[in-house]
Amino acid sequence: MSKVLIIGAGAAGMYAALAAVRQGHQVHLFEKNDRAGRKLFITGKGRCNLTNDCDTEEMLQAVKSNRKFLYSSFYTHTNQDVIRFFEENGMPVKTERGGRVFPSSDHSSDVIRILEQQMKAFQVHLHLHAEVKSLLVENGQVAGITLADGREEKGDACIVATGGFSYPLTGSTGDGYRFARDAGHKVTPLFPSLVPVEAKEKWVGDLMGLSLRNIQLTVKDGKKEVYRDFGEMLFTHFGLSGPVILSATSEVGPRLEKGPLTFHIDLKPALSQEQLDQRILRDFGEQKNRQFKNSLGKLLPSKLIPVVVELSGIPPEKKIHDISREERRALVCLIKDLTVTVVSLRGWSEAIITKGGVSVREIDPATMESKITKGLYFAGEVLDLDAVTGGFNLQIAWSTAYMAGSSIP
């Protein structure tokens, strides 16, 4: 039996604790907050998208950073293992659009409750209000931790599961990166990811609250296309948000640090330019004597119409029968390519995850143990691993935590 110390009682920390205690180890879990799972509680707008019900290869394709590193953990402890764990312990789940898996109750608190019940049943020692200040490392091996009150806790192994910088109000203040650096590890550059973006154009704010489904997003850096996706987006008072935008930031976030990007929104991706032109011709033919500003009700959401009318350059009061072929074609181009200049990411307080982290080159992918310091393990968001939205980032937490907790000798 080893005495295992785990720092951080989030998804990865609690899951690693259960994996380690089931191996017969004595497990102590240290959390600086007054309760476990604070970030889990707000995940998925309080519903907790705990994994995705796709096959493992598709799961890997959703990973944006260091995909190959996760082969071992994703195949050893799969999304189906995670679903089985929660269902067998009394929490039924449901699968929604895009394979997203949620508790049937729609309450993230149920996910936390199951983890806490299991930790209690297996006698994991949970220490709340217990902030860890540093690791104790002796002769290249973990010997314990030092707490903020000066106490030392000796141990045979330590798992760092502190999360990243995202949602700092939940306690994610980057402590794990400091522990890693102090133990000789490299930490790659850190960026907010799965985060809304800020736009230059003032008209974007006029559309605040408007959600668009089934749009195609193309992101360009100058003339170079750097990202393309299809899905749902949301206009906000400062810019853009919603699943397709958040996923884009996992790919283009670091580029935005260097300068603005253009986000091209195809409002009607199912129609070619010619098909859309024919559709507009047909709509115009039915309302020849109407003013242009009152003619787009069948084509676009009402909130979007004034903005499209203004951007089109066609006078709002112009009668439909007076609109030229060139004006109509320009309208088609606008609807197929509504362009927004994105100038920056929103901050850490709105980021779902952190892009960057402890370099996985210095971690054994089969055990999550440090290649530098014996007995030191890492799990979850503190590692340089991230994925798009849809439950994939929590699966990274579950799988890496399982590998870390079950690999301690």
Side-chain angles (χ1 to χ4, degrees):
M1 178 196 288
S2 294
K3 182 179 178 182
V4 179
L5 312 177
I6 301 176
I7 310 173
M14 289 189 279
Y15 212 67
L18 291 171
V21 79
R22 286 174 168 178
Q23 298 293 317
H25 301 309
Q26 182 189 108
V27 178
H28 290 262
L29 177 57
F30 297 86
E31 170 56 54
K32 65 182 177 182
N33 284 312
D34 58 353
R35 63 184 186 274
R38 280 194 68 182
K39 188 175 171 186
L40 257 181
F41 187 72
I42 61 172
T43 299
K45 296 178 181 174
R47 296 176 64 218
C48 191
N49 179 192
L50 59 103
T51 187
N52 194 286
D53 195 19
C54 60
D55 64 38
T56 304
E57 276 303 312
E58 197 176 333
M59 183 79 65
L60 284 161
Q61 290 306 309
V63 176
K64 291 298 176 184
S65 301
N66 301 306
R67 183 178 298 154
K68 288 182 180 178
F69 179 84
L70 284 165
Y71 270 71
S72 183
S73 52
F74 269 12
Y75 274 101
T76 301
H77 196 75
T78 68
N79 51 350
Q80 299 306 320
D81 292 324
V82 172
I83 291 168
R84 196 175 305 114
F85 165 80
F86 284 104
E87 290 198 317
E88 286 179 354
N89 287 298
M91 191 194 83
V93 303
K94 60 182 177 181
T95 303
E96 296 186 2
R97 184 171 49 87
R100 291 167 164 81
V101 178
F102 294 89
S104 292
S105 66
D106 280 332
H107 295 309
S108 56
S109 54
D110 286 349
V111 175
I112 300 166
R113 177 177 53 81
I114 296 299
L115 292 166
E116 288 181 326
Q117 284 177 353
Q118 288 298 298
M119 288 196 300
K120 191 173 182 181
F122 282 92
Q123 298 182 320
V124 170
H125 302 275
L126 175 60
H127 305 267
L128 299 173
H129 299 290
E131 183 177 353
V132 176
K133 274 298 179 191
S134 61
L135 302 177
L136 294 173
V137 179
E138 297 171 1
N139 302 317
Q141 178 159 349
V142 162
I145 58 173
T146 303
L147 294 156
D149 62 9
R151 285 185 300 123
E152 288 187 357
E153 185 82 35
K154 296 289 188 178
D156 304 301
C158 178
I159 301 174
V160 176
T162 50
F165 270 133
S166 57
Y167 294 133
L169 290 176
T170 65
S172 297
T173 51
D175 299 344
Y177 305 131
R178 180 165 47 84
F179 301 150
R181 288 190 185 103
D182 289 348
H185 281 272
K186 180 188 174 187
V187 175
T188 63
L190 304 167
F191 300 93
S193 191
L194 302 186
V195 63
V197 296
E198 296 191 347
K200 176 182 175 183
E201 289 79 7
K202 289 184 179 178
W203 58 261
V204 170
D206 297 337
L207 298 174
M208 181 178 69
L210 175 64
S211 179
L212 298 176
R213 286 191 171 187
N214 305 321
I215 60 97
Q216 182 168 287
L217 174 71
T218 305
V219 181
K220 290 185 178 179
D221 187 350
K223 292 183 178 179
K224 182 182 179 184
E225 182 179 314
V226 293
Y227 187 81
R228 184 184 288 251
D229 199 5
F230 177 87
E232 188 175 338
M233 64 164 285
L234 173 71
F235 289 96
T236 69
H237 68 283
F238 54 77
L240 309 174
S241 188
V244 74
I245 302 297
L246 300 183
S247 290
T249 64
S250 69
E251 189 91 24
V252 305
R255 285 179 181 269
L256 265 175
E257 297 284 315
K258 299 171 186 172
L261 301 174
T262 51
F263 280 43
H264 300 262
I265 303 160
D266 184 346
L267 298 169
K268 297 291 178 183
L271 301 176
S272 67
Q273 286 211 358
E274 285 304 316
Q275 288 171 326
L276 180 57
D277 191 36
Q278 290 301 313
R279 162 77 190 274
I280 291 173
L281 258 179
R282 192 167 64 248
D283 288 353
F284 279 4
E286 294 170 359
Q287 42 191 349
K288 288 181 180 179
N289 293 313
R290 275 197 172 187
Q291 293 180 329
F292 174 54
K293 65 181 181 181
N294 299 322
S295 68
L296 300 175
K298 291 183 178 179
L299 192 65
L300 299 171
S302 57
K303 197 166 189 175
L304 188 57
I305 292 172
V307 169
V308 168
V309 167
E310 184 182 348
L311 294 175
S312 73
I314 303 171
E317 281 79 29
K318 192 169 190 175
K319 292 288 179 70
I320 293 299
H321 59 70
D322 291 331
I323 291 176
S324 68
R325 183 172 179 271
E326 288 71 26
E327 286 175 321
R328 195 185 70 243
R329 285 295 177 93
L331 174 64
V332 168
C333 290
L334 175 64
I335 292 170
K336 293 290 289 179
D337 187 13
L338 184 65
T339 303
V340 178
T341 308
V342 171
V343 293
S344 64
L345 300 171
R346 295 289 278 182
W348 290 108
S349 62
E350 295 177 57
I352 295 175
I353 58 160
T354 305
K355 189 174 187 70
V358 178
S359 173
V360 296
R361 292 182 178 182
E362 301 165 350
I363 309 294
D364 183 340
T367 63
M368 299 297 137
E369 186 176 15
S370 164
K371 294 177 181 178
I372 296 170
T373 302
K374 192 169 175 56
L376 177 61
Y377 298 76
F378 294 90
E381 192 183 342
V382 72
L383 289 162
D384 183 13
L385 300 166
D386 65 272
V388 299
T389 57
F392 304 105
N393 288 288
L394 264 178
Q395 185 62 44
I396 291 174
W398 308 128
S399 292
T400 56
Y402 177 86
M403 297 299 275
S406 58
S407 299
I408 296 168

